[in-house]
Amino acid sequence: VTEPVKGSDRNRDIWMLDAATRKVRQLTFSPKSESQPRWNPRKNELAFLSNRDGAVQIYVLPMDGGEASALAQGKSTIQSFDWSPDGTQIAYLAHDPKTGEEEQKEKDRDDARVVDRDENFARLWVIDVESKKTHPLTTGNWRISEMKWFPSGDKLLIAATDHPESDKDTERIFSIPAAGGQMTQIAAPAGPFGEASISRDGKLLTFLAARVDGPSPHDLYLQALDGGPVRNITGNNLDRPIGAYAWLADGSILGL
């Protein structure tokens, strides 16, 4: 919930709604802002992003009592994160820390940069929640727009490109081992796409994409991960774009 502007700041806190009673209560009271609350799939705790101590970091709040604490302190701003299915790891996107030269340029208010050379794209990292040890999965040469865990928990699904300077749609869909290793291309949709996801049984890939090469994602596509053609499963029976969708427990798909 975002508060009204006070001065130049707009504070944002996390609230919880009890679905049965419809009662709400405030969970965070930081003078800074919190966002992206995500439940641990296996434990009664909540992770969220906050800039309460400087750069945006991941904080974990135990719901049975206690204060929220930073999972790992760093100078890099975290963009987004996702719990592993077993709740023991978190994958997140964050830039490399600024070099001494970059910090000095910032102090000098020198914002000049060379396009397509001085870019610092966010890397994909994985952190072990208990030990707080982190390791990177991608290099800074890749621009990653989406990431989420496979249901098996041993790898991640990412939408990324190693040619971000191109005017063409060069993003593709890959899998990458959570322990680190080689990326494997799964699909290369024509034109813009988004909302890539894996079915709960780990056998099917779905994503929203354009029918040809644009102008925007319109239909829901499905592809078997062990091979086979990509199928447009909404183009012939829906006369409107799919805004969002979700896999249900019975293997069906809920669309919006």
Side-chain angles (χ1 to χ4, degrees):
V1 177
T2 303
E3 301 292 337
V5 176
K6 294 181 179 179
S8 60
D9 297 325
R10 184 187 291 270
N11 184 38
R12 181 172 51 195
D13 291 301
I14 295 173
W15 293 62
M16 183 169 69
L17 166 69
D18 187 307
T21 65
R22 298 297 176 181
K23 292 183 178 180
V24 296
R25 67 185 179 98
Q26 188 172 345
L27 297 182
T28 64
F29 297 85
S30 165
K32 298 292 185 176
S33 286
E34 281 79 38
S35 64
Q36 296 187 35
R38 302 284 186 270
W39 290 110
N40 183 326
R42 301 297 182 188
K43 294 176 64 177
N44 190 26
E45 61 184 8
L46 186 72
F48 58 88
L49 297 182
S50 177
N51 65 340
R52 58 178 63 183
D53 294 316
V56 176
Q57 298 293 310
I58 301 172
Y59 287 76
V60 178
L61 175 66
M63 299 303 294
D64 53 1
E67 296 291 331
S69 59
L71 190 57
Q73 290 284 8
K75 294 183 178 180
S76 299
T77 293
I78 294 177
Q79 296 181 342
S80 60
F81 71 95
D82 192 30
W83 284 99
S84 64
D86 63 3
T88 64
Q89 301 180 91
I90 289 179
Y92 63 92
L93 293 176
H95 296 279
D96 287 335
K98 293 179 181 178
T99 64
E101 181 181 355
E102 289 172 335
E103 289 182 345
Q104 186 59 49
K105 288 182 65 176
E106 191 174 85
K107 291 179 181 178
D108 296 338
R109 297 185 179 182
D110 179 5
D111 59 358
R113 66 183 181 87
V114 178
V115 176
D116 298 336
R117 190 194 71 183
D118 296 340
E119 302 288 352
N120 180 16
F121 296 109
R123 293 189 193 218
L124 176 61
W125 303 73
V126 169
I127 183 169
D128 181 87
V129 176
E130 183 175 352
S131 68
K132 297 186 178 181
K133 291 183 178 179
T134 64
H135 61 273
L137 298 187
T138 62
T139 68
N141 297 327
W142 287 82
R143 184 185 66 199
I144 303 170
S145 59
E146 295 182 20
M147 59 89 183
K148 60 186 62 176
W149 290 85
F150 272 69
S152 58
D154 60 341
K155 53 189 173 180
L156 290 110
L157 183 75
I158 63 174
T161 176
D162 55 348
H163 290 287
E165 77 286 349
S166 176
D167 291 333
K168 298 180 179 180
D169 292 305
T170 58
E171 280 201 330
R172 290 151 285 160
I173 301 174
F174 300 86
S175 66
I176 186 169
Q182 193 70 26
M183 295 168 57
T184 301
Q185 182 172 313
I186 300 176
F193 68 90
E195 301 295 328
S197 186
I198 300 293
S199 61
R200 297 195 177 192
D201 60 7
K203 295 181 179 180
L204 300 172
L205 165 70
T206 47
F207 54 87
L208 301 179
R211 295 184 182 181
V212 281
D213 59 356
S216 62
H218 189 283
D219 297 323
L220 180 61
Y221 286 76
L222 182 146
Q223 175 180 332
L225 289 175
D226 59 359
V230 179
R231 294 191 292 124
N232 183 340
I233 61 175
T234 61
N236 292 329
N237 50 32
L238 287 177
D239 61 351
R240 63 202 69 189
I242 304 297
Y245 71 95
W247 282 97
L248 302 181
D250 62 359
S252 60
I253 298 175
L254 177 68
L256 174 66

